[in-house]
Amino acid sequence: MNFFSMDNAFFRMVGKMVDLIWLNVLTVICCIPVITAGASLTAMYYVELKVVENQEGSITQNFFRAFKENFKNATRIWLVALLILCFYISDMYILKQGVMDGYGSLLTITRVCILGILIFVYILLCYVFPLLARYDNTIKQTLKNAVLLMFGFFPRSICMGIIYLFPIALMLLSDYFIFFWLFWGLSFPAFCCAQLMTKIFEKTEGASVKEETDSE
């Protein structure tokens, strides 16, 4: 093997890392208006799934095509998620003001319930955007599939939730890791999760084909 050949494993890895940097830049820029974050994350996943399956073409063209095609559904889902986040923040703020300090165990139960809803929505979104990127379904069907996959592949769901928190944990350890987030903070965790999602899609799509064959 010629080390200086552009086809060897080292240069292919470097090429993918550079692609992930550019994809991260595109995603972060398109997330800045906030309202467009859902479409941006969906477009990122569209590109990531193609990269994992070695079908990547132009990063920029694929990103903006997926951004445009999924903008409506992704934005609707994202706005609902934002409302839930605002509800969570406002509730936690109210609880910190001591409104329920005299209720003891009820206060603890309320906090646990609010946190549970937040975790549920967070992990659900880990599936929603890849599903939007891969399949042309209604919002209702996308959410239904996301819930089924979340519980059907629960260990992987937890794993994906942890992977996305990894860059945040690095930044909490040191301010120097903010550069990691700027370069790969969104695209690299998504790349890792896309590999898990690809395996899940292969299993579910294979099962669907088998069911159709058996029914015939």
Side-chain angles (χ1 to χ4, degrees), residues 53-187:
E53 296 175 346
N54 295 314
Q55 299 177 1
E56 67 266 33
S58 168
I59 298 292
T60 306
Q61 289 180 2
N62 284 335
F63 180 90
F64 284 108
R65 181 169 65 248
F67 183 93
K68 181 179 178 181
E69 291 176 353
N70 296 285
F71 181 82
K72 186 180 292 184
N73 285 347
T75 301
R76 288 175 178 173
I77 293 174
W78 174 247
L79 289 177
V80 173
L82 277 181
L83 287 175
I84 293 173
L85 179 61
C86 291
F87 173 77
Y88 167 80
I89 293 174
S90 61
D91 277 0
M92 294 305 294
Y93 176 79
I94 291 171
L95 291 177
K96 281 188 176 181
Q97 301 308 305
V99 175
M100 296 182 64
D101 283 352
Y103 290 89
S105 58
L106 182 60
L107 174 60
T108 302
I109 293 172
T110 302
R111 285 176 172 169
V112 170
C113 289
I114 293 173
L115 182 61
I117 293 172
L118 185 66
I119 293 173
F120 174 83
V121 172
Y122 166 64
I123 297 180
L124 186 70
L125 291 177
C126 291
Y127 283 98
V128 166
F129 297 124
L131 285 170
L132 284 173
R134 191 175 183 93
Y135 304 106
D136 185 16
N137 285 324
T138 62
I139 292 177
K140 181 179 179 181
Q141 188 62 47
T142 298
L143 292 174
K144 179 182 176 182
N145 291 340
V147 172
L148 291 174
L149 292 179
M150 181 174 66
F151 289 108
F153 297 89
F154 194 70
R156 296 192 185 194
S157 302
I158 298 299
C159 184
M160 286 192 290
I162 294 173
I163 288 172
Y164 276 114
L165 293 176
F166 181 70
I168 298 175
L170 288 179
M171 287 193 294
L172 292 176
L173 289 174
S174 173
D175 293 339
Y176 292 108
F177 285 112
I178 193 172
F179 293 104
F180 175 86
W181 191 89
L182 291 173
F183 291 146
W184 294 292
L186 291 174
S187 63

Side-chain angles (χ1 to χ4, degrees), residues 5-23:
S5 171
M6 297 302 292
D7 292 328
N8 68 43
F10 174 76
F11 283 109
R12 287 201 303 270
M13 181 187 71
V14 171
K16 281 196 174 181
M17 295 306 291
V18 172
D19 286 343
L20 290 180
I21 291 175
W22 177 234
L23 181 58

